Amino acid sequence: MCALPNSPPALTIDVLFGDRYVPVMITSSPTTPFAFSPATATYTPPMTPQVSTALPAMMMADKQYWTTHPTVMSLPMAKSTARAAGNVVVRPVWAHNLREEVELIESLLRRYRYAAVDTEFPGTVYRPKVPTYALTAEKKYALLKANVDELHLIQLGLTLFDAAGRLPDLGTGVQYVWEFNFREFDVRRHRHAQESIALLRSKGVDFDRTRRDGIDAAAFGPRLRKLLRGGLGDAGVITFSGAYDLAYLVKMMLGSGYKLPATPAEFESVVKAMIRKRLYDVKEMARRCPRDIDLRGGLDRVAGKLDVRRAVGEAHQAGSDSLLTCQTFIKIRERYFVGDDDLTTVAGIVAGITAC
């Protein structure tokens, strides 16, 4: 740990640990209207963050340089990560580098015309008293609406890719995906599912930092609308079981005070109006594969059955999950939806709710 000349008492910078940026503190001191029941323990006291002591020997101390230059340093990893061919890095986006990262994304949209998205949120606080599969589409949507109306988005993962599955490398030889961090959720005040928050903590989400350095969702909404108008996902917006993902995106674009429509059909209309792109839900694509192919399950299970390995990070990290969604879409399209007509049969179907 080195002292920085003319530095403030403490500075948080994003440092690359092998394949993922993590925040490091540098100091200058030497020394569900249906039968829904609320989830249990919806409030929890602040937890003591778990800090890894496995720090790299080198650091980049200049925060401004780090946020404006995509050069990648080879630093020791705190934990090894299985990866596919190619080196992929997650670019974290905070309030301080939002403008630069959005401008960078805008510059890439003409070449990378597909967009895979994933969201992380505080779980669900309204839950049905019967298994989800027993609910009608209307009841599933009412459950979604109750949760999204009340809760706040924590992270948005974004992977840009072309028709062959190539990601932006910015001329560095390293491929990039994005992870936006939002500040609205306060674990001390807002309702949440305790197990979901514990899981996100275990995956590296620092809820103190998201509150301090996160993006204002209200300010990001117009930027997201501009990105969509500018070509984001022109060839397709890809999700995995994406009803909640789309609902949170719509809520963000229309403002935090916005309440989702009352019915699935109205929700469908709003999604079409706001996204205005062809939607592909990988879970629905898997469901429509030949009956002798068992592609049931969550994202990791479906990806594993298709021999797709996670290239960066872990499950329930928004950037990593958006990339795995992209990779799984490419593989399932290559195997089972070869022609444009085949792909058209699944366009606009959002798993678990309704046709969009």
Side-chain angles (χ1 to χ4, degrees):
M1 187 70 71
C2 59
L4 302 180
N6 301 319
S7 65
L11 175 66
T12 299
I13 65 171
D14 296 314
V15 174
L16 185 71
F17 278 66
D19 65 354
R20 184 175 178 84
Y21 296 102
V22 297
V24 172
M25 181 73 75
I26 295 179
T27 63
S28 58
S29 172
T31 53
T32 242
F34 291 88
F36 303 145
S37 60
T40 58
T42 54
Y43 294 91
T44 55
M47 296 174 63
T48 302
Q50 297 180 353
V51 180
S52 171
T53 58
L55 296 177
M58 299 173 57
M59 294 183 186
M60 290 189 69
D62 189 333
K63 180 176 180 179
Q64 182 63 30
Y65 181 92
W66 186 247
T67 60
T68 57
H69 292 68
T71 303
V72 175
M73 300 174 61
S74 296
L75 298 176
M77 295 176 63
K79 180 171 66 174
S80 63
T81 303
R83 63 176 65 204
N87 189 15
V88 183
V89 167
V90 177
R91 296 176 70 93
V93 186
W94 303 90
H96 70 79
N97 65 340
L98 175 62
R99 181 178 61 83
E100 291 85 357
E101 294 298 321
V102 168
E103 290 176 355
L104 176 59
I105 291 170
E106 288 175 336
S107 73
L108 299 168
L109 296 181
R110 183 170 296 181
R111 179 176 177 184
Y112 301 96
R113 300 181 62 245
Y114 289 87
V117 299
D118 177 79
T119 59
E120 298 298 334
F121 46 90
T124 57
V125 296
Y126 296 101
R127 301 174 183 177
K129 293 183 178 180
V130 298
T132 303
Y133 66 79
L135 298 175
T136 65
E138 289 75 15
K139 290 183 178 180
K140 288 179 183 178
Y141 175 72
L143 174 64
L144 176 149
K145 171 177 166 55
N147 282 293
V148 175
D149 281 350
E150 181 157 348
L151 304 179
H152 298 280
L153 187 62
I154 297 172
Q155 285 186 337
L156 167 64
L158 175 64
T159 295
L160 304 179
F161 61 105
D162 64 15
R166 291 183 291 260
L167 278 60
D169 66 4
L170 309 183
T172 66
V174 176
Q175 301 176 93
Y176 294 96
V177 302
W178 283 263
E179 190 171 84
F180 296 81
N181 300 275
F182 299 97
R183 72 184 189 190
E184 278 68 31
F185 175 68
D186 187 339
V187 71
R188 294 172 290 268
R189 297 193 302 112
H190 294 140
R191 296 189 67 187
H192 58 269
Q194 185 175 356
E195 65 274 16
S196 296
I197 296 305
L199 177 61
L200 290 175
R201 285 187 191 276
S202 74
K203 301 301 181 180
V205 176
D206 181 342
F207 292 102
D208 290 330
R209 190 183 185 198
T210 57
R211 286 290 294 164
R212 183 181 69 246
D213 299 332
I215 301 161
D216 182 348
F220 183 71
R223 293 179 183 270
L224 180 56
R225 295 198 302 270
K226 182 180 178 182
L227 286 172
L228 286 166
R229 290 194 302 270
L232 178 66
D234 265 359
V237 174
I238 320 300
T239 63
F240 187 95
S241 193
Y244 274 83
D245 299 319
L246 295 173
Y248 275 108
L249 293 183
V250 165
K251 178 180 177 179
M252 181 160 28
M253 286 190 286
L254 292 176
S256 59
Y258 174 76
K259 301 298 182 183
L260 294 179
T263 68
E266 292 171 325
F267 175 64
E268 173 184 351
S269 297
V270 171
V271 170
K272 284 182 176 180
M274 298 304 300
I275 306 296
R276 295 187 293 181
K277 312 289 179 178
R278 181 164 287 186
L279 301 172
Y280 297 104
D281 192 307
V282 178
K283 188 173 182 67
E284 182 64 24
M285 293 173 69
R287 191 182 73 82
R288 291 175 176 240
C289 284
R291 292 178 178 266
D292 59 332
I293 307 298
D294 182 10
L295 291 178
R296 293 172 295 179
L299 175 58
D300 281 278
R301 181 180 291 271
V302 172
K305 290 177 179 179
L306 293 168
D307 297 320
V308 176
R309 292 195 297 172
R310 191 179 289 271
V312 66
E314 301 179 70
H316 301 289
Q317 295 176 338
S320 176
D321 279 354
S322 72
L323 175 57
L324 189 60
T325 298
C326 154
Q327 296 171 304
T328 307
F329 169 77
I330 293 292
K331 182 59 69 72
I332 202 171
R333 185 189 66 181
E334 289 174 347
R335 288 191 182 181
Y336 305 111
F337 299 88
V338 179
D340 289 340
D341 290 343
D342 294 333
L343 201 57
T344 300
T345 63
V346 294
I349 311 299
V350 180
I353 298 294
T354 183
C356 284

